[in-house]
Structure formats: structure tokens, C-alpha cells
Amino acid sequence: MISQYLKPLAEVDEAREDHLNFVADLEKRGFSVTAGRQDPPLGGIILLDVDTEAEAQALIADDPYVQRGLASYTATGWIPTRGALAGYQRVRPA
């Protein structure tokens, strides 16, 4: 998921702690592989381990940035075939 901030960065940053807690929960549940802010900070990227775009959209709908109208996300499918994530194996806590 690639986000674009819809509000000034100072306003986005007011919700950043809640957003980071949301991302931490995705990680804990085994849905987030990695995430981070773009540089320059125009948005961010969350690499989700899901089967469908609908599942990704459902997860991201709970992001405080989305709920507060601070960011929108675009889904981009990707299958890693080379590099550090080639052969990535899904891990979901029991």
C-alpha cells in the first residue's frame, strides 16, 4: 500500500503515534512485512502480506490516517522474485 498525505505534514504528525501503533498491530498479527515513510515525506509505504487487494483495503481502512482523512492509499500488487524478500514465507501467529 502506497499512501499519499492529504493534509500538511504537521497535521499528519499529530496522528503519527496512533498510526505507528496501528502498523505495530499489523506486524503483530502477521500482516505487515515492512513499512516506512517516504523521503521526502509525502506519504508512506506498508508492504502487506495478504491474498487480495480487497483484504489490503479492509485492513488499511482501520489506519488512523485514513479514518481522519489525513492520507489515502493505493494498492500495488507485487511478488518478490529476487533479493532479500525472494522466497518470503508468510508467518501468522497462532
Side-chain angles (χ1 to χ4, degrees), residues 11-94:
E11 195 172 335
V12 171
D13 282 346
E14 290 175 9
R16 189 161 171 78
E17 184 175 343
D18 291 339
H19 166 75
L20 293 175
N21 289 335
F22 164 77
V23 173
D25 182 63
L26 289 177
E27 291 170 1
K28 180 177 149 187
R29 294 167 41 210
F31 290 109
S32 175
V33 177
T34 189
R37 185 175 261 180
Q38 296 174 29
D39 183 18
L42 304 174
I45 297 172
I46 302 175
L47 182 57
L48 296 174
D49 180 6
V50 295
D51 294 320
T52 66
E53 181 179 339
E55 187 178 2
Q57 294 289 358
L59 287 170
I60 217 68
D62 291 330
D63 185 339
Y65 284 174
V66 171
Q67 293 180 341
R68 298 175 194 174
L70 300 170
S72 64
Y73 283 85
T74 302
T76 301
W78 179 61
I79 300 170
T81 57
R82 299 187 52 88
L85 293 177
Y88 170 81
Q89 296 294 311
R90 175 177 285 174
V91 177
R92 295 269 199 272

